[in-house]
Every structure is written in C-alpha cells, then in structure tokens.
Amino acid sequence: MANGRKSRTSSSNPIARWKGKWALVTGASAGIGRALAEQLAASGANLVLTARRVDRLRELADGLAARHGMQAEAFAADLTRPEAPAAIHAFTEGKRIDIELLANNAGFGAFGYTHEIDEARLLDMVQVNCAVVLRLTRIYLPRMVERRSGDILIVASTAAFQPVPFISAYAATKAFDLIFAEGLAEEVRGYGVRVCALCPGSTNTEFQQVAQQPDRAFRSAETADKVARVGLEALAEGKSSVISGGRNRWMVFGERFAPRGFVAKMAAKVMGPESTKS
Ligand SMILES: NC(=O)c1ccc[n+]([C@@H]2O[C@H](COP(=O)([O-])OP(=O)(O)OC[C@H]3O[C@@H](n4cnc5c(N)ncnc54)[C@H](OP(=O)(O)O)[C@@H]3O)[C@@H](O)[C@H]2O)c1
C-alpha cells in the first residue's frame, strides 16, 4: 500500500472476476464503451462488441484478441431500430455465447432548446438511452437469475440527479437509467445478480460532438479509461450506483440540500447557449 493507494496485482484486480466469461458491451466503437472493452479484455474477459460503426468494432475486436488472447466478436446494430435488441440476442444465441456481463453503455445526448431539436432525434434518444437498456436487460436477465450469477452495468450520468436545462430530455433519460438500475439491483441481489449504474460527469469522448454541446461543460472532463474502471470496479464490489470523480460526487451531494427548482435555475445559467445570456 504505497502512498495510501491500493497496489494492483492480478489477484487484487476486481475486473478479473470476468476472466474467461463473456461480456456484451453496447456502444463499444468509441469513448466509455471502448474503454470498458479494453479493460475487460486486459483482464481476460471474452467480448461481444456492438455499435453501428462495424469497421471500428472489427478492428477493436481483432486487436484485443491478438493482444490479450481472449475471444472477441463484433456485431453491427443500430439501436434506434426496434428490432436491434432481438438481433443482438439472436447473434449471441447463434454463437452459443452465455452473456455473464451486460454493459448497457450506448447512448447520446442532444443539446439545445427542446422546441428546436428534431423530434425524431429526441425519440431516438429515448429509444437508445432507455428502451434499449430495458429490453437488453429483460433479454439477458432471466438467464442470469436462473444461473444465480450475472452482472449488469448501466451507464447513467451525473445529469440523472437533477433537471438540466438545454439537455432536459437527455437528463431525463439518464434519470430513468439511474432509477431503473438502483431498483433492479435490490430486486435481483438475492439471485446473485449485480446491477450498477455508472454516473460519469463530463468525460472526454465523442459525446460532446454528437450532442453538439458547448466546450465549457467539458473543461474539467475525466478520461474514458478512468470512468470505465470506476464503473467496473463498483459493479464488481456490488454497489448499485457510483459517481465517477470526487468533484462530481461533491456536486451531486451539495445539490441535495437545495430546492430542485433552484438547482435547475443555476444549471440553466451554466448550460444556456451564449446568446441567452445577458
Ligand atoms: N461523455 C460524457 O461526458 C458522458 C457523461 C455522462 C454519461 N455519458 C454516457 O456514457 C455513455 C457512452 O457515451 P460516450 O461518452 O462514450 O459517447 P461516445 O464517444 O459518443 O460513444 C457513444 C457510443 O454509443 C454508440 N451509439 C450511439 N448511438 C447508437 C445507435 N443508434 N446504435 C448503436 N450504437 C449507438 C456509438 O456507436 P456508433 O456511433 O458507432 O453507433 C458509440 O460507440 C452514454 O450512455 C452517455 O450518455 C457520457
């Protein structure tokens, strides 16, 4: 225990609990999903990687398998399509892969005035961030319960804890993820199944660009590697949720003592487009 930090040997690596097991990671072509895949592979887990950009997935799967000697499969799916969860399941069934860790990570945001954001984009966001999380969980959970073991990571956000003007719908989707994960964790704990909501704050990924969100929210962003490690370790430890980063934890803690309306007003000042500021 040099300088108060845990020394990391292979036997003390909590991510090694998935060594030799199969994990399904959604949104593995970039950001936090890619980092989850890399850390799981480095600890010896086998992977099914899914996202739309299949070239990236194949390159990642081949590279990880070559480097770490585990097995990795890539499957292209557009999660806005209602048939995507069943197609992913058919793929894993067809390969006789028993999923022991489901990482519900894929998601995106949409910044701006809700009345100006394309309605189809907002509904796609609800589909990917909420409905798909529910459907993939509903697909893979019964086998985990039957087996009396299994793990589910759901990537929520610090945006889940309060209203966030200008990403109002996104924050609401992440509140769904957090509340669903925390409730489910208690439902299935007695069946040996662990569920954890990972709540990152701003993280350096492609998220900002996809959400068309201004730079200022991302000035103190964490790395995807760090966030992925925090999530996997919390899941391995049996936590039902975890906030990545001390600053983010303090922010969420502090907000508990203020009325929600006040927090929303303050958030509007931070998040609002420059043009709305006097
Ligand atoms: N970055 C942040 O500041 C931050 C903060 C809190 C929470 N989060 C959450 O973290 C998770 C991962 O986001 P990230 O930051 O890593 O963003 P990212 O770099 O943009 O990665 C998002 C991933 O989701 C996939 N995805 C998006 N739409 C999809 C669709 N329709 N079908 C299939 N896959 C889709 C993308 O793959 P393709 O484009 O190849 O399909 C990509 O692999 C999300 O749930 C996000 O809400 C992020």
Side-chain angles (χ1 to χ4, degrees), residues 75-123:
F75 182 72
D78 180 350
L79 297 177
T80 64
R81 308 288 306 165
E83 65 276 15
I88 293 169
H89 187 223
F91 177 78
T92 58
E93 289 286 288
K95 299 254 175 196
R96 297 189 186 286
I97 290 172
D98 207 10
I99 296 298
E100 300 196 45
L101 165 60
L102 167 61
N104 275 306
N105 161 77
F108 68 93
F111 176 84
Y113 286 99
T114 303
H115 65 270
E116 290 176 355
I117 303 170
D118 181 44
E119 187 193 25
R121 183 166 159 74
L122 290 170
L123 291 172

Side-chain angles (χ1 to χ4, degrees), residues 5-10 12-18 35-36 39-40 43 101 151-153 194-198 224-244 249:
R5 295 178 74 111
K6 276 189 221 161
S7 64
R8 188 52 52 116
T9 63
S10 61
S12 72
N13 172 13
I15 302 173
R17 78 184 257 112
W18 294 292
L36 287 168
Q39 293 186 22
L40 286 164
S43 293
L101 165 60
D151 300 297
I152 300 177
L153 186 71
R194 294 167 180 209
V195 183
C196 180
L198 165 61
D225 277 349
K226 192 235 166 160
V227 168
R229 181 171 47 75
V230 166
L232 290 171
E233 290 185 357
L235 178 63
E237 286 162 18
K239 294 182 181 166
S240 61
S241 64
V242 66
I243 296 169
S244 182
R249 280 195 294 281

Side-chain angles (χ1 to χ4, degrees), residues 26-33 50-53 77-80 105-108 128-129 155-158 170 174 200-208 210 218:
T26 69
S29 63
I32 296 168
T50 186
R52 289 166 300 187
R53 288 170 287 181
D78 180 350
L79 297 177
T80 64
N105 161 77
F108 68 93
V128 176
N129 295 8
V155 182
S157 169
T158 51
Y170 171 73
K174 292 291 142 175
S202 299
T203 309
N204 265 321
T205 66
E206 296 173 10
F207 179 90
Q208 178 190 2
V210 174
F218 289 81

Side-chain angles (χ1 to χ4, degrees), residues 47-220:
L47 295 170
V48 177
L49 307 176
T50 186
R52 289 166 300 187
R53 288 170 287 181
V54 72
D55 290 354
R56 280 194 186 197
L57 291 179
R58 288 214 181 97
E59 202 186 320
L60 180 62
D62 293 348
L64 292 175
R67 245 180 302 142
H68 301 295
M70 31 66 75
Q71 299 175 67
E73 301 279 351
F75 182 72
D78 180 350
L79 297 177
T80 64
R81 308 288 306 165
E83 65 276 15
I88 293 169
H89 187 223
F91 177 78
T92 58
E93 289 286 288
K95 299 254 175 196
R96 297 189 186 286
I97 290 172
D98 207 10
I99 296 298
E100 300 196 45
L101 165 60
L102 167 61
N104 275 306
N105 161 77
F108 68 93
F111 176 84
Y113 286 99
T114 303
H115 65 270
E116 290 176 355
I117 303 170
D118 181 44
E119 187 193 25
R121 183 166 159 74
L122 290 170
L123 291 172
D124 281 350
M125 188 172 68
V126 173
Q127 178 72 18
V128 176
N129 295 8
C130 304
V132 166
V133 171
L134 179 62
R135 291 188 61 203
L136 285 176
T137 300
R138 184 64 186 77
I139 285 171
Y140 288 103
L141 181 59
R143 173 80 186 109
M144 294 180 180
V145 168
E146 183 188 76
R147 202 199 299 118
R148 293 293 193 271
S149 80
D151 300 297
I152 300 177
L153 186 71
I154 296 180
V155 182
S157 169
T158 51
F161 292 91
Q162 69 287 300
V164 189
F166 303 102
I167 50 164
S168 303
Y170 171 73
T173 67
K174 292 291 142 175
F176 172 91
D177 291 337
L178 172 64
I179 298 296
F180 175 54
E182 287 188 335
L184 186 63
E186 298 314 317
E187 274 181 42
V188 296
R189 197 180 290 284
Y191 292 95
V193 178
R194 294 167 180 209
V195 183
C196 180
L198 165 61
C199 301
S202 299
T203 309
N204 265 321
T205 66
E206 296 173 10
F207 179 90
Q208 178 190 2
Q209 188 192 339
V210 174
Q212 296 170 356
Q213 199 167 334
D215 267 349
R216 58 186 179 279
F218 289 81
R219 278 179 200 144
S220 54

